[in-house]
């Protein structure tokens, strides 16, 4: 609450001939109030920047996860695509993406202002908000980079990644996150089913490319093409776990927002609760996957557990801010079952995804959207999305079915939009023979055929290293 001071009222209290003193005192009040306002902006901007850095660190997590999940002969290729997600995404999101997503005022379908950050900073956005949303956009591209790994031409990936971060993803984020979006919970003047869509921090995207050579034998039976490094998978998973604390709690965009003046409870509490629900959902999904896969396969598989953990995070992302911690455990438990079930269906359909991204982010993400519509609490919904009393909330919490209807529509329109935009793009790339590499290149590995050498050096002799990183033998006598 702002500090206010009226010189005329203060002069009456101080007595006659006190106008100058009243003016001076009120000017000091104004100065103090301005300092408080400046501090609040600085704290919130710093919080958002720190969250952006956390989300950006997820690119390293994706890079390690992808590298460990593919075969060694394609490591350089997948690492390069992760680097270029950030690089191309930065340029295209700066030029077009942010404007399409958040350019305001606009219509309900797409933004139309702030191209190349024109008129930024403003009363609506500062540079920190752009950086945070850019980190989100490249995360969307990073999620799918490993899904089409080991068989996709590099130029096709560049086209796809640029189109995704510059247009496809921004339009979807405008629908659900912009104050002007047709289904946004922030669009209080025109809420879908009176609630809008409560997708607090977002969900995944879908993709389609054929399976890798050898993924299924001549009888159609599944053949495991294991990634070459479980260590990199675990490292990437922990980095993603760390980054998710910027992804979910950071989506509040500000932290210095009291719900009632002078209370220990405010938006900082909601930020902490969001971190807790995120943690519990991931932990529950990891343990459920561990025992579920043990029953099904007879093994304790670390990569399956890592995917289960990430599936729990993907599921809780939509409702992390509006559900109780106990509900997050339910979310993670069901997410693990959804992931296992989706993997079974993918195997039967001969759908090849080295990182299980469609199953993990598509299946678990869709479950998370439904979960939010079932378990969102009235109190948290009104705190996180103020300005519209009486919003619908979770069906199982007594809030009726309107939020569930809005979320079902969200799932359907995202599937429709991505299919209508990315489908023709992939079809065109396929027709021009730009989508898939040749069988010979795929068998040899893209590191050798497309990137000039292998990521790892297996021998010290020159002949063994002619395609790899050159290494020099260090004799024991030369060591210190």
């Amino acid at each position: 609450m702002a500090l206010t001071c009226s010189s005329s009222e203060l002069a009456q209290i101080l007595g006659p001939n006190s106008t100058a003193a009243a003016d001076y005192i009120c000017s000091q009040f104004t100065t103090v109030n301005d300092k408080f306002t400046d501090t609040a902006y600085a704290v919130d901007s710093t919080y958002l920047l720190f969250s952006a850095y956390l989300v950006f660190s997820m690119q390293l997590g994706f890079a390690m996860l992808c590298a460990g999940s593919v075969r060694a002969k394609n490591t350089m290729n997948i690492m390069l695509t992760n680097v270029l997600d950030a690089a191309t995404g930065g340029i295209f999101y700066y030029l077009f993406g942010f404007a399409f997503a958040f350019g305001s005022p606009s219509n309900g379908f797409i933004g139309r202002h702030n191209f190349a950050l024109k008129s930024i900073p403003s009363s609506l956005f500062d540079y920190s908000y752009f950086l945070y949303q850019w980190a989100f956009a490249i995360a969307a591209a990073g999620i799918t980079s490993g899904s089409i790994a080991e068989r996709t031409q590099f130029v096709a990936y560049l086209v796809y990644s640029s189109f995704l971060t510059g247009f496809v993803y921004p339009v979807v984020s405008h629908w659900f996150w912009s104050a002007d979006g047709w289904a946004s919970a922030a669009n209080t003047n025109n809420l879908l089913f009176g609630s809008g869509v409560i997708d607090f921090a977002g969900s995944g995207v879908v993709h389609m490319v054929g399976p890798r050579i050898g993924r299924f034998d001549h009888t159609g039976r599944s053949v495991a093409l294991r990634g070459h490094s479980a260590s990199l998978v675990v490292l990437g998973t922990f980095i993603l776990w760390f980054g998710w604390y910027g992804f979910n709690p950071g989506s509040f965009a500000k932290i210095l927002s009291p719900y009632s003046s002078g209370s220990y409870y405010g938006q900082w509490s909601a930020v902490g609760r969001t971190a807790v629900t995120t943690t519990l959902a991931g932990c529950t999904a990891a343990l459920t996957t561990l025992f579920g896969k043990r029953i099904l396969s007879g093994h304790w598989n670390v990569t399956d557990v890592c995917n289960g953990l990430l599936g729990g995070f993907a599921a809780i992302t939509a409702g992390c801010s509006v559900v109780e911690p106990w509900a997050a455990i339910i979310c993670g438990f069901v997410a693990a079952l959804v992931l296992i079930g989706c993997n079974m269906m993918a195997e039967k359909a001969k759908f090849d995804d080295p990182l299980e991204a469609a199953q993990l982010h598509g299946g678990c993400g869709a479950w998370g959207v439904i979960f939010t519509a079932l378990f969102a609490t009235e109190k948290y919904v009104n705190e996180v999305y103020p300005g519209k009393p009486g919003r619908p909330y979770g069906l199982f919490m007594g809030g009726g079915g309107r939020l569930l209807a809005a979320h079902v529509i969200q799932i359907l329109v995202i599937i429709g939009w991505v299919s209508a935009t990315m489908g023709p793009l992939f079809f065109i790339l396929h027709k021009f023979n730009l989508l898939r590499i040749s069988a010979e290149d795929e068998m040899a590995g893209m590191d050798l055929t497309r990137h000039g050498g292998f990521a790892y050096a297996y021998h010290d002799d020159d002949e063994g290293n002619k395609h790899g990183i050159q290494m020099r033998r260090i004799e024991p006598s030369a060591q210190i």
Side-chain angles (χ1 to χ4, degrees):
M1 181 179 294
L3 296 173
T4 59
C5 180
S6 171
S7 298
S8 58
E9 293 178 359
L10 184 60
Q12 294 177 4
I13 297 173
L14 295 177
N17 302 321
S18 59
T19 303
D23 289 340
Y24 175 77
I25 294 173
C26 284
S27 69
Q28 296 304 304
F29 265 95
T30 301
T31 301
V32 171
N33 179 68
D34 290 343
K35 290 294 184 181
F36 276 122
T37 301
D38 295 343
T39 301
Y41 278 125
V43 169
D44 288 336
S45 182
T46 302
Y47 173 72
L48 189 57
L49 281 171
F50 179 72
S51 298
Y53 305 151
L54 288 178
V55 177
F56 180 71
S57 74
M58 296 176 77
Q59 290 300 116
L60 176 59
F62 285 129
M64 296 298 100
L65 183 68
C66 291
S69 298
V70 301
R71 290 166 290 182
K73 62 183 180 180
N74 294 303
T75 305
M76 285 180 66
N77 173 262
I78 196 65
M79 296 288 277
L80 181 58
T81 60
N82 277 273
V83 172
L84 291 177
D85 277 336
T88 60
I91 299 300
F92 280 88
Y93 200 73
Y94 163 75
L95 292 174
F96 312 110
F98 185 79
F100 288 149
F102 298 102
S104 185
S106 63
N107 56 51
F109 178 77
I110 191 171
R112 57 185 187 218
H113 296 281
N114 306 124
F115 290 97
L117 296 188
K118 184 179 180 180
S119 302
I120 300 291
S122 67
S123 59
L124 295 176
F125 306 117
D126 205 341
Y127 291 112
S128 56
Y129 192 75
F130 163 79
L131 193 73
Y132 185 72
Q133 294 300 335
W134 161 73
F136 258 65
I138 61 174
I143 285 170
T144 57
S145 63
S147 306
I148 54 178
E150 302 196 287
R151 61 216 192 267
T152 308
Q153 290 197 42
F154 190 66
V155 65
Y157 186 80
L158 284 177
V159 172
Y160 144 80
S161 180
S162 302
F163 188 54
L164 178 66
T165 54
F167 181 69
V168 178
Y169 169 83
V171 171
V172 174
S173 58
H174 178 81
W175 294 349
F176 303 117
W177 290 339
S178 171
D180 301 315
W182 64 269
S184 173
N187 188 354
T188 56
N189 295 322
N190 188 25
L191 289 172
L192 180 64
F193 292 112
S195 70
V197 170
I198 298 179
D199 188 355
F200 187 67
S203 56
V205 292
V206 296
H207 64 283
M208 43 187 159
V209 174
R212 292 166 289 175
I213 295 174
R215 181 65 177 87
F216 301 94
D217 64 17
H218 65 282
T219 66
R221 185 168 54 91
S222 173
V223 177
L225 297 179
R226 291 289 183 184
H228 80 282
S229 176
S231 300
L232 290 178
V233 170
V234 173
L235 175 61
T237 300
F238 271 113
I239 295 173
L240 288 170
W241 188 341
F242 179 68
W244 232 291
Y245 292 125
F247 205 85
N248 285 1
S251 291
F252 280 94
K254 56 179 64 178
I255 192 171
L256 201 58
S257 299
Y259 292 145
S260 60
S261 182
S263 173
Y264 65 87
Y265 181 75
Q267 191 143 294
W268 49 86
S269 304
V271 168
R273 183 183 66 247
T274 299
V276 170
T277 57
T278 300
T279 302
L280 292 176
C283 293
T284 304
L287 293 174
T288 305
T289 304
L290 174 69
F291 292 104
K293 296 294 285 189
R294 167 69 176 178
I295 294 171
L296 293 173
S297 67
H299 301 291
W300 307 100
N301 193 306
V302 65
T303 56
D304 287 336
V305 171
C306 288
N307 281 336
L309 179 80
L310 298 177
F313 289 152
I316 195 61
T317 294
C320 54
S321 65
V322 294
V323 299
E324 294 283 2
W326 60 263
I329 295 176
I330 298 174
C331 177
F333 178 78
V334 177
L337 302 182
V338 169
L339 179 59
I340 293 172
C342 286
N343 283 334
M344 290 180 175
M345 290 190 291
E347 188 172 310
K348 289 185 178 296
K350 297 182 176 59
F351 179 77
D352 182 20
D353 186 336
L355 268 77
E356 302 178 6
Q359 303 94 296
L360 196 158
H361 296 278
C364 295
W367 154 242
V369 172
I370 298 298
F371 160 79
T372 304
L374 300 177
F375 289 94
T377 64
E378 181 180 16
K379 176 185 177 182
Y380 298 154
V381 167
N382 288 319
E383 287 175 350
V384 177
Y385 299 95
K388 188 73 173 180
R391 285 178 182 269
Y393 50 100
L395 176 64
F396 291 170
M397 310 305 288
R402 288 188 292 169
L403 183 59
L404 178 61
H407 283 206
V408 170
I409 288 177
Q410 179 196 19
I411 295 172
L412 295 177
V413 297
I414 288 179
I415 293 173
W417 171 251
V418 175
S419 300
T421 52
M422 301 306 293
L425 176 65
F426 282 127
F427 179 77
I428 293 171
L429 291 172
H430 174 70
K431 281 298 182 181
F432 284 92
N433 293 320
L434 296 174
L435 182 58
R436 183 151 185 163
I437 60 176
S438 66
E440 293 78 13
D441 286 356
E442 187 172 344
M443 295 301 293
M446 296 181 70
D447 286 2
L448 178 61
T449 61
R450 299 302 173 96
H451 303 290
F454 296 118
Y456 302 104
Y458 297 101
H459 306 284
D460 288 334
D461 57 279
D462 291 339
E463 181 65 23
N465 272 304
K466 65 182 180 180
H467 293 304
I469 300 172
Q470 298 298 315
M471 300 180 68
R472 180 172 60 87
R473 182 186 297 275
I474 300 177
E475 298 298 333
S477 59
Q479 295 179 353
I480 298 177

